[in-house]
Amino acid sequence: MFLRSGTAVVYSEFGERPARPGDVLLLAANVLSGCHPEEPVTTTTVFLDFEYLVDKVFWQQSAVLADRLEACELLDQPYVEPAQLLRLSDEAFGRVLPWLDELTDLSNFENTATVFFEVERALLSVLQVVLPDIEVSSIRRSATQREAAKPTPPRRRAPRPLRPEARRAAEMLRSDLTHRWGLDELAEAAHLSVPQFHRVFIDAYGKTPQTYLTMLRAEELARLLRETDLPIEVAMRKVGWNTRGHAARFFRQHLGATPSRYRELTWMR
């Protein structure tokens, strides 16, 4: 998401940060984020499909990669924080603006096939400027960091339906956020062993069941803070968090702000 004009406070897993024209908010799938405009803002949002990125890497590295599976493995090696606020230089952002305008105009075409190559040219021009500013590391803080913080690589060439066992477990988690769900209980309901259920759920949703539940609780608490005047302690208990410190820690982990700060920002709009 490119901030073109105006200023705002954005919050996500990186915390709470001010944003100015020329900043770019980079988000992975299933990553919560919020924004409090300090004045009228204009943004342009670009969505990237994982399969498209795999294809680009494969063809760029076709001399050394045997197939798209190796391209997926190559993309999976470095660790990229799922939420980043990039600060482009004035010169770099000035170069990007005309291409963003072109992408916006081209997105209005009903028959996208006729403008595919024009879209790709403008998109690759934008990426050429932005990619050097993305923070990439070969070091993970823990072995399960990807599973706990961001989705694993999604589908391969063909979309695959969600496993019914994973969908059923997700529906159970969503149906009762206050319940203390355990892996044994979820695995039994899915008629799978605990290790097999754990793998199936992560493959489907890119997160462990407990991390997925925490995200659901953070989403619902954010909605209650935005749409109701319930005291924070009452709203916390409605989503299954019984202590304010516990709620603040996990809510901040997913949205970058404490519940009280989030309510302050959203009610200021």
Side-chain angles (χ1 to χ4, degrees):
M1 181 180 292
F2 296 80
L3 182 59
R4 304 180 59 140
S5 65
T7 58
V9 176
V10 295
Y11 34 94
S12 187
E13 295 183 5
F14 49 66
E16 180 184 330
R17 296 184 186 176
R20 57 172 176 73
D23 287 351
V24 185
L25 179 60
L26 175 71
L27 294 174
N30 292 341
V31 175
L32 300 181
S33 179
C35 174
H36 169 58
E38 297 176 319
E39 56 183 295
V41 299
T42 304
T43 64
T44 298
T45 303
V46 178
F47 296 93
L48 288 177
D49 182 78
F50 182 76
E51 291 296 297
Y52 174 79
L53 295 179
V54 171
D55 282 335
K56 299 309 295 184
V57 170
F58 174 57
W59 287 111
Q60 287 177 346
Q61 307 294 332
S62 58
V64 294
L65 297 178
D67 51 31
R68 296 180 77 259
L69 180 60
E70 287 193 2
C72 289
E73 294 172 351
L74 181 64
L75 279 172
D76 195 46
Q77 290 175 9
Y79 175 73
V80 181
E81 288 291 341
Q84 296 185 33
L85 186 63
L86 313 179
R87 301 194 180 279
L88 301 184
S89 67
D90 292 341
E91 184 272 336
F93 194 63
R95 291 165 54 200
V96 164
L97 283 177
W99 294 320
L100 293 178
D101 291 336
E102 186 175 0
L103 285 172
T104 301
D105 293 337
L106 292 171
S107 67
N108 293 322
F109 279 72
E110 291 186 6
N111 187 356
T112 56
T114 61
V115 294
F116 173 80
F117 293 109
E118 295 178 74
V119 170
E120 184 171 53
R121 174 185 52 76
L123 173 62
L124 293 179
S125 298
V126 171
L127 294 181
Q128 188 174 12
V129 176
V130 174
L131 288 178
D133 289 293
I134 297 177
E135 294 183 8
V136 180
S137 172
S138 59
I139 301 174
R140 305 182 192 178
R141 292 187 296 272
S142 68
T144 59
Q145 186 176 29
R146 288 181 181 276
E147 298 169 3
K150 60 167 287 191
T152 52
R155 64 187 188 275
R156 299 306 183 196
R157 169 62 76 176
R160 294 179 299 175
L162 288 177
R163 286 275 296 266
E165 299 93 336
R167 186 187 302 111
R168 188 180 310 119
E171 291 172 352
M172 290 173 62
L173 294 175
R174 193 177 291 275
S175 69
D176 189 354
L177 299 180
T178 62
H179 184 69
R180 293 194 173 186
W181 297 101
L183 281 178
D184 291 343
E185 181 180 5
L186 294 169
E188 182 179 357
H191 305 293
L192 297 172
S193 67
V194 171
Q196 186 180 10
F197 167 73
H198 200 250
R199 289 193 299 271
V200 166
F201 193 92
I202 290 173
D203 182 59
Y205 291 100
K207 296 179 182 290
T208 65
Q210 288 304 321
T211 301
Y212 186 81
L213 176 60
T214 301
M215 184 186 73
L216 293 178
R217 286 173 169 168
E219 285 181 341
E220 179 61 13
L221 179 55
R223 186 191 68 80
L224 292 173
L225 294 176
R226 289 193 313 270
E227 300 178 3
T228 74
D229 58 357
L230 287 174
I232 293 178
E233 288 80 2
V234 175
M236 284 176 352
R237 288 193 288 272
K238 281 185 173 292
V239 303
W241 285 325
N242 296 319
T243 64
R244 185 157 183 160
H246 194 72
R249 179 159 57 91
F250 286 110
F251 189 85
R252 186 184 183 105
Q253 175 184 337
H254 282 271
L255 275 167
T258 62
S260 57
R261 177 59 175 160
Y262 180 85
R263 168 165 278 178
E264 177 187 347
L265 288 168
T266 54
W267 280 22
M268 286 169 58
R269 293 182 182 182

